Amino acid sequence: MESALTARDRVGVQDFVLLENYTSEAAFIENLKKRFKENLIYTYIGSVLVSVNPYKELEIYSKQHMERYRGVSFYEAFGNAKTLRNDNSSRFGKYMDVQFDYKGAPVGGHILNYLLEKSRVVHQNHGERNFHIFYQLLEGGEEDLLRRLGLDKNAQNYQYLVKGQCARVSSINDKSDWKNVRKAMSVINFNDDDVEELLSIVASVLHLGNVQFASDEQGNVQVTTENQIKYLARLLSVDSTLLRESLIHKKIIAKGEEFCINYCNEKLQQLFIELTLKSEQDEYESEGIAWEPVQYFNNKIICDLVEEKFKGIISILDEECLRPGDATDMTFLEKLEETVKNHPHFVTHKLGDQKTRKCLGRDEFRLLHYAGEVNYSVVGFLDKNNDLLFRNLKEVMCDSGNPIVHQCFDRSELTDKKRPETAATQFKNSLAKLMEILMSKEPSYVRCIKPNDAKQAARFDEVLIRHQVKYLGLIENVRVRRAGFAYRRKYEFFLQRYKSLCPETWPNWDGRAMDGVAVLVKSLGYKPEEYKMGRTKIFIRFPKTLFATEDALEVRKQSIATFLQSRWRGYHQRQKFLHMKHSAIKIQSWWRGTVDRRKAAKRKWAVSVIRSVLDKSWPVPPPSLREASELLREMCMKNMVWKYCRRISPEWKQQLEQKVVASEIFKDKKDNYPQSVPRLFINTRLGISVSSLSDNLFVIHVKCEDNKQKLFVILESEIVISTTPIRTSRRLLFTNGSLYNRTCLH
């Protein structure tokens, strides 16, 4: 995280706790926008992950991850639907518990469901669809299957599928999704009979939606679509007469379930704040830092308003549903006004001021949730809360021959005189159990934010995002985390990152990390109110303190880089020199070995040649062959000489001839002559000119490569003059002490 702080003006901060103006919604949104533009979709609030979905690579993500949970596609088919904001919106709460083996692979799990949106089955808003399974079955089901279920492929023929006027959606492939659902059924061990029974129930819902009613002359309700009743009876394996009778005696009104959803969100927010504060307090205590009480909006007051016994909204609603007499939605509202009229988070048209009455209907009440104000219409509250399946319908279903339907209806309920719990109470109890489960865990939170409703990449809708930020209570979460210290890190990490900023800790600190950090922050000039030293961590209160430290590190990096480059160049040059030296030694060693081997081979050859020449041994012949033996011996010697001479090159022959001449001249007359015999004459080294003045008088002029010259006068094979000439001409020789006339010498 720290490495990105130097670019915070461009990419924002990775943790909202480090926002300077952390109470500003505009600053919060602007930070999200910066990171979104840089495709940095993950931002934190302490340990809470906030993700802005970029609408990229979703298909790949889905294939990679959901393939491992095939059963999820089954749940989505029966519990998800297209809404105005999402093509695959979950219409039920769920708690998924997945078990993993020691390698991290999933090996099992179970899912608890909460608050299925049953009203969607019979009604959808414009632009929305029913649950996926209905469209998938019609679009992907085989002809034989649809024929057995009494269905056809045209979704427009079914009343429960056309309310939203969008049975077909270009971004949804129902046929392909149907294949995934069928595979999922196999994965979770549904056999063919199980699948047939389940799909019979699905088809019966579509047929039930097409059942039509009319009144006869006496005003009694009659079913006018007998064909649908026959299909229903066959699919549910029940008696058609009993089914018809149970349908025409009662009517259930289904309304929308937003109050319960917001109540659930309120409880989850309450849990989140409690766990966040508990986590902070536990860390402070473990580090030996005094805990400072945090002022925050405690939404327990709203949760109590909804769930408190005897005087909470749910209790009042249940009381109106259960009391004798003529209870209506409006009497429920009047009872609310009477019981909770003084609550600061509750208001109605009757209790509100003039401004409030203009935007609040007479059949509505308003709750001030942690995320903002919400108006609720009480119309349908009592019917929805009762939401009972009447006894005659239960009796018919208990006699069903469909094993799944039969299992869903317990016959003992028919004799149970106790009134079933209302829908709101059931939800409250199940939510309480969920809270118990979550409190027993160490939860990690992920807050997902949609950037736009059009599902377009790189589009950042500020109005929509601002609404979500407010609804999720993210600003409040930041405020709670910023009530204490904005940043904390282990001493080892902090020292390792910033040690270069202090001469005493750079390049290495040999003592305890805690002591090293103490020396470091003193060198950096931290003020006492800016930080605290815990047992294992340093706590920094203000983001600006961390920013200043990180900026100083960025400057320091430049000098460190220059120093390291210089050291590296020196090291590189030394390494290069050592490498060249090593290479030169190897080459020299190899060359000396080569030269020595050549010399040895040459000496060996010379020895063999000399031995062959000097070896005069010859076998002793019988007396009668002595003459022939001598002739053969002479011939052998001549042959050896001939063979040797043939092998001599012209250059080598010249060397031998020169050696013979030199031997005649210098042998026993020059002290160092024996040492010069092995040395070969080199044509380029000496310039030799020999002048014959008479038969027994010679002048030899020797000129070396270094321009040194020597003059020899030989008379009767003896050197009579040996000197160094200064200058020569055709007639005169100039030496150090004499001038010789060539004619006089002659």
Side-chain angles (χ1 to χ4, degrees):
M1 177 186 71
E2 291 85 348
S3 60
L5 291 180
T6 53
R8 57 187 178 274
D9 291 338
R10 178 174 58 86
V11 302
V13 293
Q14 187 179 356
D15 194 332
F16 283 110
V17 177
L18 297 179
L19 272 179
E20 286 285 1
N21 193 3
Y22 64 93
T23 60
S24 168
E25 183 181 84
F28 192 100
I29 300 297
E30 181 63 23
N31 193 71
L32 274 180
K33 190 174 184 178
K34 287 180 180 179
R35 299 186 63 77
F36 184 79
K37 287 182 178 179
E38 296 292 328
N39 201 30
L40 301 171
I41 63 173
Y42 299 117
T43 313
Y44 291 84
I45 304 176
S47 60
V48 180
L49 176 61
V50 179
S51 172
V52 182
N53 182 356
Y55 289 112
K56 292 181 180 178
E57 301 178 355
L58 293 183
E59 183 178 355
I60 296 176
Y61 177 89
S62 176
K63 289 182 179 179
Q64 289 177 341
H65 294 271
M66 301 312 290
E67 197 64 35
R68 304 178 70 182
Y69 305 97
R70 271 293 187 183
V72 173
S73 62
F74 176 80
Y75 269 90
E76 288 185 348
F78 286 85
N80 289 24
K82 178 197 178 307
T83 64
L84 292 175
R85 293 186 175 181
N86 194 336
D87 283 351
N88 191 33
S89 176
S90 176
R91 309 316 298 165
F92 66 106
K94 51 184 173 291
Y95 173 80
M96 180 183 293
D97 196 345
V98 183
Q99 287 85 39
F100 300 86
D101 63 12
Y102 70 98
K103 295 181 180 179
V107 294
H110 65 277
I111 299 177
L112 300 178
N113 300 325
Y114 302 91
L115 190 67
L116 178 65
E117 188 186 28
K118 293 179 288 187
S119 61
R120 183 168 293 271
V121 175
V122 299
H123 177 77
Q124 308 91 44
N125 293 326
H126 183 78
E128 298 191 353
R129 298 206 312 177
N130 210 321
F131 293 102
H132 293 322
I133 186 62
F134 298 113
Y135 307 94
Q136 293 169 355
L137 174 59
L138 297 183
E139 189 69 26
E142 300 82 0
E143 293 293 340
D144 290 344
L145 173 63
L146 295 179
R147 185 165 49 253
R148 292 196 302 274
L149 299 177
L151 303 175
D152 60 64
K153 288 185 173 294
N154 189 358
Q156 300 297 327
N157 293 334
Y158 302 96
Q159 293 298 314
Y160 285 170
L161 304 184
V162 298
K163 301 291 181 66
Q165 299 181 6
C166 60
R168 285 184 176 272
V169 181
S170 60
S171 57
I172 299 178
N173 190 333
D174 292 312
K175 189 172 185 179
S176 175
D177 292 341
W178 168 255
K179 295 179 181 178
N180 291 332
V181 172
R182 292 292 283 116
K183 290 178 182 177
M185 291 179 179
S186 299
V187 170
I188 57 180
N189 297 324
F190 271 44
N191 58 37
D192 292 341
D193 291 340
D194 295 333
V195 173
E196 190 80 13
E197 293 158 2
L198 179 62
L199 296 180
S200 294
I201 298 175
V202 174
S204 68
V205 174
L206 295 179
H207 286 295
L208 185 62
N210 284 359
V211 173
Q212 297 181 11
F213 303 90
S215 58
D216 58 14
E217 294 178 355
Q218 288 77 32
N220 298 319
V221 177
Q222 299 293 330
V223 174
T224 61
T225 50
E226 281 298 323
N227 194 43
Q228 301 296 335
I229 295 296
K230 293 179 180 178
Y231 275 124
L232 279 170
R234 180 171 62 82
L235 293 172
L236 297 176
S237 298
V238 297
D239 183 86
S240 59
T241 302
L242 295 177
L243 177 62
R244 183 187 305 102
E245 290 297 317
S246 65
L247 287 174
I248 62 178
H249 281 83
K250 297 291 181 181
K251 179 181 179 182
I252 298 177
I253 301 176
K255 296 291 182 180
E257 294 169 290
E258 185 181 1
F259 174 76
C260 288
I261 294 175
N262 289 340
Y263 165 49
C264 176
N265 289 334
E266 203 75 55
K267 291 289 289 185
L268 291 174
Q269 175 70 2
Q270 180 189 25
L271 176 69
F272 171 72
I273 294 294
E274 288 179 359
L275 291 179
T276 298
L277 290 175
K278 183 177 183 300
S279 174
E280 286 283 280
Q281 187 172 2
D282 289 347
E283 184 172 28
Y284 280 44
E285 290 177 356
S286 67
E287 290 291 327
I289 295 179
W291 171 252
E292 303 171 2
V294 177
Q295 297 298 323
Y296 67 98
F297 173 64
N298 188 348
N299 64 338
K300 182 178 184 298
I301 187 174
I302 301 177
C303 295
D304 290 344
L305 172 62
V306 174
E307 66 186 10
E308 191 174 7
K309 287 185 176 181
F310 307 121
K311 54 182 180 180
I313 294 176
I314 291 179
S315 294
I316 297 172
L317 178 61
D318 285 352
E319 182 179 340
E320 282 299 293
C321 289
L322 300 177
R323 75 173 178 85
D326 189 15
T328 65
D329 295 326
M330 293 307 296
T331 61
F332 162 62
L333 181 59
E334 292 170 0
K335 189 68 176 289
L336 281 179
E337 291 173 333
E338 178 184 343
T339 307
V340 296
K341 60 183 177 181
N342 295 322
H343 198 284
H345 293 269
F346 175 86
V347 68
T348 64
H349 184 277
K350 177 181 178 181
L351 299 175
D353 54 23
Q354 186 174 0
K355 181 179 179 180
T356 302
R357 291 176 180 177
K358 290 182 179 180
C359 56
L360 196 62
R362 295 182 181 277
D363 59 352
E364 293 180 331
F365 66 91
R366 175 182 295 171
L367 295 184
L368 179 58
H369 290 282
Y370 76 92
E373 298 175 346
V374 180
N375 295 350
Y376 300 98
S377 171
V378 298
V379 176
F381 254 59
L382 266 62
D383 285 336
K384 184 56 185 174
N385 192 42
N386 281 320
D387 194 22
L388 301 176
L389 189 63
F390 294 100
R391 185 175 299 273
N392 55 346
L393 276 174
K394 281 188 178 181
E395 291 174 350
V396 174
M397 295 299 107
C398 285
D399 292 331
S400 171
N402 185 309
I404 297 178
V405 175
H406 185 77
Q407 188 177 359
C408 290
F409 294 89
D410 187 359
R411 184 170 288 276
S412 62
E413 294 181 1
L414 298 178
T415 57
D416 188 0
K417 302 300 182 181
K418 182 180 178 181
R419 183 181 177 90
E421 291 180 334
T422 62
T425 299
Q426 291 180 34
F427 181 70
K428 183 181 75 171
N429 294 339
S430 65
L431 190 57
K433 292 179 181 178
L434 175 62
M435 294 299 109
E436 291 179 8
I437 294 175
L438 294 179
M439 286 294 290
S440 67
K441 310 293 183 182
E442 295 182 4
S444 298
Y445 294 90
V446 179
R447 301 296 201 189
C448 297
I449 297 177
K450 291 199 310 178
N452 59 79
D453 278 335
K455 308 178 184 67
Q456 294 179 358
R459 179 180 169 186
F460 192 89
D461 187 336
E462 288 195 27
V463 175
L464 176 63
I465 291 176
R466 183 177 292 107
H467 171 76
Q468 295 174 84
V469 168
K470 182 178 180 180
Y471 184 77
L472 292 172
L474 297 183
I475 304 295
E476 181 69 13
N477 296 345
V478 175
R479 204 183 67 77
V480 169
R481 284 298 306 267
R482 276 293 297 272
F485 294 87
Y487 174 88
R488 72 283 314 262
R489 275 293 182 273
K490 290 281 187 182
Y491 289 128
E492 292 78 6
F493 177 90
F494 190 85
L495 180 61
Q496 180 64 28
R497 181 165 184 82
Y498 300 112
K499 64 181 180 180
S500 62
L501 298 178
C502 174
E504 297 178 60
T505 57
W506 175 256
N508 292 304
W509 174 261
D510 296 329
R512 295 190 310 163
M514 181 179 182
D515 298 334
V517 172
V519 171
L520 175 59
V521 297
K522 183 179 180 181
S523 175
L524 292 173
Y526 280 20
K527 297 178 182 178
E529 65 272 15
E530 291 182 315
Y531 76 101
K532 291 288 184 183
M533 300 288 284
R535 294 190 176 96
T536 66
K537 297 178 180 179
I538 180 174
F539 288 72
I540 297 178
R541 187 178 298 277
F542 307 116
K544 63 181 180 182
T545 306
L546 178 65
F547 294 164
T549 305
E550 192 63 32
D551 292 342
L553 177 62
E554 190 66 19
V555 174
R556 175 64 174 155
K557 283 179 180 178
Q558 304 300 322
S559 60
I560 293 177
T562 302
F563 172 76
L564 292 177
Q565 288 172 356
S566 175
R567 294 292 300 269
W568 170 250
R569 283 194 294 266
Y571 170 79
H572 183 68
Q573 291 296 333
R574 288 193 298 274
Q575 290 297 109
K576 185 178 180 180
F577 169 76
L578 292 175
H579 177 70
M580 293 176 65
K581 181 180 178 181
H582 177 69
S583 300
I585 293 173
K586 289 187 68 175
I587 293 173
Q588 291 171 355
S589 175
W590 172 81
W591 177 247
R592 283 194 296 268
T594 300
V595 171
D596 290 342
R597 285 190 294 273
R598 288 178 180 177
K599 288 181 178 180
K602 192 171 184 179
R603 283 195 298 268
K604 183 177 180 182
W605 172 79
V607 168
S608 64
V609 172
I610 294 172
R611 183 180 290 120
S612 65
V613 173
L614 298 179
D615 187 7
K616 305 297 184 181
S617 61
W618 190 259
V620 179
S624 59
L625 297 176
R626 284 179 182 173
E627 185 178 358
S629 178
E630 287 298 326
L631 290 173
L632 290 174
R633 181 179 182 181
E634 185 180 353
M635 291 173 61
C636 180
M637 292 302 294
K638 289 181 178 180
N639 182 60
M640 289 175 62
V641 171
W642 178 77
K643 288 176 62 178
Y644 176 76
C645 291
R646 283 194 62 184
R647 288 199 298 268
I648 296 175
S649 64
E651 294 79 7
W652 185 244
K653 182 179 179 182
Q654 183 182 4
Q655 285 285 340
L656 291 178
E657 289 174 347
Q658 291 175 354
K659 287 294 181 182
V660 171
V661 173
S663 178
E664 293 176 354
I665 297 173
F666 300 115
K667 187 177 182 182
D668 299 329
K669 298 176 183 177
K670 186 179 178 183
D671 293 339
N672 62 348
Y673 172 71
Q675 288 79 17
S676 66
V677 171
R679 297 176 62 186
L680 300 179
F681 293 119
I682 301 176
N683 293 331
T684 59
R685 181 183 299 173
L686 299 175
I688 302 176
S689 60
V690 180
S691 302
S692 177
L693 302 180
S694 65
D695 292 340
N696 57 356
L697 180 62
F698 301 91
V699 177
I700 300 177
H701 182 208
V702 180
K703 185 177 182 181
C704 303
E705 286 184 339
D706 55 2
N707 291 327
K708 292 182 179 180
Q709 301 183 52
K710 208 72 173 176
L711 186 68
F712 301 95
V713 178
I714 301 172
L715 179 63
E716 295 291 344
S717 300
E718 292 183 3
I719 299 175
V720 294
I721 297 174
S722 176
T723 184
T724 302
I726 297 176
R727 184 165 57 85
T728 65
S729 67
R730 289 180 60 87
R731 302 296 298 174
L732 299 174
L733 296 173
F734 297 90
T735 68
N736 289 334
S738 303
L739 173 64
Y740 299 95
N741 188 292
R742 290 176 185 260
T743 306
C744 292
L745 289 173
H746 188 273

